Amino acid sequence: MKVWPPIAATLFALFVWQIIVTLTGVQKFILPGPALVAEAWWYNRAVIAEHTLITLIEILLGMAIGTALGIATALQLATSKVARTLVQPILVFTQALPVFALAPILTLWLGFGLWSKIAMAVLIIYFPVTSAFFDGLMRTPSGYLDLAKTMQAHPSRVLWKIRVPAALPSLGAGVRLAAVYAPIGAVIGEWVGASRGLGALMIMSNGRAKTDLMFAAMLTLGVMSVLLYVCVAKLTRRLGDRET
Amino acid sequence: MTLAPSITFQGQASIEGRQLFAPLTLCLDAGRWTCLLGGSGVGKTTVLRLMADLPTGADFDGSIVATDGLPVVDRVAYMAQDDLLMPWASVEKNITLGAQLRGQTVDVVRMERLITRCGLQDHRTKKPSELSGGQRQRVALARTLMEDKPIVLLDEPFSALDAQTRAAMQNMAAELLQGRTVMVVTHDPGEAARLGHAIQVMTPAGLTAVTPPTAAVPRAVDALETLTCQSQLLTLLMGQAA
């Protein structure tokens, strides 16, 4: 991918933003220009870094736990018809519930610390990971399974030697989705109740009309999410052609 | 490998009450190549899949028995038109897939011999995506031979290859599968004329046995009797299509 077009587009967007702010003369607590936001970001860089680290820890732990749970569930569903019949409808039902609405109760249960945010991230990414990996496990090319059958293969070996490796690209797609959703989960958790993390910093800045700091925190979250996605994408692309 | 048995396939198949093929009797002679030739949709692949005990979606009414009275299913090796190589595994891992799937230790000596005989010495650590169509099919053949089964079922194994590669693969397969009871399902009259010790043309009406040339298998592509047999088979197929 070429690096210059997106950078040029970003600079252009910042330019337009600054022009709008300058021409309309809008109050800076309503909409600060990019120059002011950059200034606030630099002035508060230590504070932002501290909150970013907290949010990043929540996201990474949430992703690790959510992915592990998703993998375990998908394997369980793929190998057991009973599990499919019992669990699958519940799984879809839970997806119909707005997870955001659970944020206050999670804070009540798990407290204001890291764990209520990690739980939010886990809840948000659990289904995409489970669903992507499960679909991959159920879509093993039928020719592979025919071949395995004529070889008198043991079912558990078919799972680990054929079905799982064939489903790894699907799992990769699920984990990439998780990298996009996990930050949303963590920040929602922080909005509902936290003293630390970028979400908490945004709420606090907003309350004190420090709109420039709010924007600085938000843009930091955006940049961090993009970097996270790029790293995860690089890691998961390798899943496709891994030697087992 | 245990001694290759003869196999008698007898019966009919239907899908949701609609007849797929009428009652037929197909005998595979022990240690010989039987070519089952036919157009698309006559159910020849279903016959092969029934012999391998693979899912067909059809209701089968009949029997598949070996002359020695032992079960057929666990003595079958299967090779399809699609090479069915695992894209994530090396050539060596693909060749030894059967042992891995059964949790057995790999017979390394046998693997080495087959890699040499199939001309794969320079490719053993490569992934399937790095190989040509002919090389991939040689890996599939080596994997089939690695199973060391007395009965080998080939479902249009070379039909995705170009003409010269296909002829070369036919020679290699005929040589390496010698002594096994082989059934080849094919729609290529030339393949049947080259490889069949026995040739059966399958049509909706049933099976028609065609006497193959007397020359030893694999028959020369340019021998008059091979070509005569090929055109005879094609005429037979075209007659049914009309």
Side-chain angles (χ1 to χ4, degrees):
Chain A
M1 196 175 69
K2 283 220 163 61
V3 184
W4 288 111
I7 289 181
T10 309
L11 288 176
F12 181 72
L14 290 175
F15 177 71
V16 171
W17 178 8
Q18 185 65 61
I19 291 283
I20 291 172
V21 170
T22 311
L23 287 183
T24 57
V26 63
Q27 296 270 25
K28 70 173 184 182
F29 66 87
I30 302 285
L31 178 65
L36 264 182
V37 172
E39 200 187 312
W41 188 87
W42 183 249
Y43 185 72
N44 294 291
R45 60 190 183 277
V47 175
I48 291 177
E50 192 192 320
H51 289 283
T52 304
L53 184 66
I54 296 290
T55 304
L56 184 65
I57 290 170
E58 291 163 2
I59 292 170
L60 291 179
L61 278 174
M63 279 193 69
I65 297 170
T67 305
L69 286 176
I71 289 173
T73 311
L75 285 171
Q76 212 30 260
L77 289 175
T79 47
S80 155
K81 203 162 180 208
V82 180
R84 278 204 289 284
T85 331
L86 291 178
V87 178
Q88 222 173 359
I90 302 174
L91 209 58
V92 176
F93 175 74
T94 58
Q95 271 312 287
L97 303 174
V99 185
F100 314 106
L102 289 175
I105 199 89
L106 283 177
T107 310
L108 188 67
W109 288 345
L110 299 171
F112 287 89
L114 288 185
W115 286 103
S116 55
K117 288 80 194 171
I118 294 169
M120 269 311 283
V122 168
L123 279 181
I124 279 196
I125 71 164
Y126 172 66
F127 186 78
V129 172
T130 306
S131 158
F133 191 36
F134 172 69
D135 280 351
L137 287 170
M138 296 310 278
R139 274 202 316 254
T140 314
S142 62
Y144 292 175
L145 300 178
D146 289 346
L147 187 66
K149 182 152 194 264
T150 63
M151 289 172 164
Q152 274 90 48
H154 193 273
S156 74
R157 289 182 181 275
V158 176
L159 179 69
W160 292 110
K161 294 277 175 188
I162 297 182
R163 293 177 71 191
V164 166
L168 284 183
S170 306
L171 175 62
V175 175
R176 285 195 290 281
L177 267 182
V180 177
Y181 290 148
I184 301 177
V187 168
I188 289 169
E190 289 169 355
W191 272 346
V192 172
S195 53
R196 300 197 296 167
L198 285 173
L201 183 61
M202 280 187 242
I203 294 281
M204 280 187 286
S205 322
N206 219 14
R208 293 171 197 163
K210 286 186 176 172
T211 314
D212 47 0
L213 182 56
M214 202 279 286
F215 269 91
M218 192 169 73
L219 293 177
T220 306
L221 178 70
V223 170
M224 182 178 72
S225 299
V226 169
L227 290 179
L228 177 72
Y229 179 81
V230 170
C231 292
V232 168
K234 270 208 186 323
L235 284 173
T236 53
R237 298 261 181 243
R238 290 177 160 189
L239 285 178
D241 52 35
R242 201 173 54 107
E243 164 106 50
T244 47
Chain B
M1 184 185 83
T2 52
L3 206 63
S6 296
I7 296 170
T8 305
F9 175 102
Q10 201 163 22
Q12 56 184 324
S14 57
I15 296 175
E16 289 166 3
R18 188 177 51 83
Q19 190 168 63
L20 183 63
F21 54 80
L24 58 83
T25 305
L26 173 66
C27 296
L28 311 182
D29 291 332
R32 295 282 164 150
W33 284 63
T34 303
C35 288
L36 186 58
L37 178 70
S40 303
V42 295
K44 55 191 195 303
T45 290
T46 304
V47 171
L48 181 139
R49 292 182 68 89
L50 286 167
M51 286 195 189
D53 194 31
L54 293 174
T56 59
D59 299 312
F60 177 58
D61 174 20
S63 63
I64 300 162
V65 286
T67 42
D68 54 15
L70 297 170
V72 173
V73 176
D74 57 357
R75 289 189 288 169
V76 161
Y78 165 72
M79 184 171 162
Q81 177 184 347
D82 184 334
D83 49 60
L84 298 177
L85 300 182
M86 308 294 141
W88 55 83
S90 68
V91 165
E92 283 186 355
K93 295 265 179 191
N94 267 296
I95 292 175
T96 56
L97 181 71
Q100 295 172 55
L101 289 178
R102 288 185 297 269
Q104 297 165 340
T105 41
V106 172
D107 183 345
V108 181
V109 179
R110 186 173 172 75
M111 179 189 78
E112 288 300 330
R113 203 174 66 229
L114 286 172
I115 284 179
T116 311
R117 292 188 74 181
C118 294
L120 297 166
Q121 301 91 319
D122 300 336
H123 309 298
R124 50 178 73 231
T125 58
K126 287 186 188 166
K127 297 280 171 62
S129 57
E130 299 170 74
L131 304 176
S132 71
Q135 289 164 345
R136 292 170 63 109
Q137 211 57 352
R138 291 206 312 262
V139 178
L141 181 63
R143 181 189 60 203
T144 310
L145 287 162
M146 195 67 200
E147 290 297 289
D148 201 17
K149 297 287 176 66
I151 306 160
V152 178
L153 303 176
L154 307 175
D155 191 2
E156 300 190 9
F158 315 128
S159 57
L161 303 174
D162 59 46
Q164 67 272 30
T165 312
R166 187 186 316 151
M169 276 304 292
Q170 286 165 351
N171 293 343
M172 182 180 270
E175 185 202 326
L176 295 178
L177 291 174
Q178 229 166 34
R180 292 166 212 266
T181 304
V182 181
M183 179 168 84
V184 196
V185 161
T186 180
H187 54 227
D188 176 5
E191 187 156 277
R194 290 200 70 207
L195 295 178
H197 293 108
I199 301 172
Q200 297 278 355
V201 179
M202 187 169 178
T203 66
L207 292 178
T208 313
V210 172
T211 314
T214 48
V217 167
R219 301 181 186 103
V221 284
D222 54 355
L224 185 59
E225 55 170 8
T226 313
L227 295 168
T228 311
C229 177
Q230 180 177 345
S231 54
Q232 185 193 349
L233 292 170
L234 184 56
T235 312
L236 205 58
L237 285 175
M238 290 175 75
Q240 268 121 28

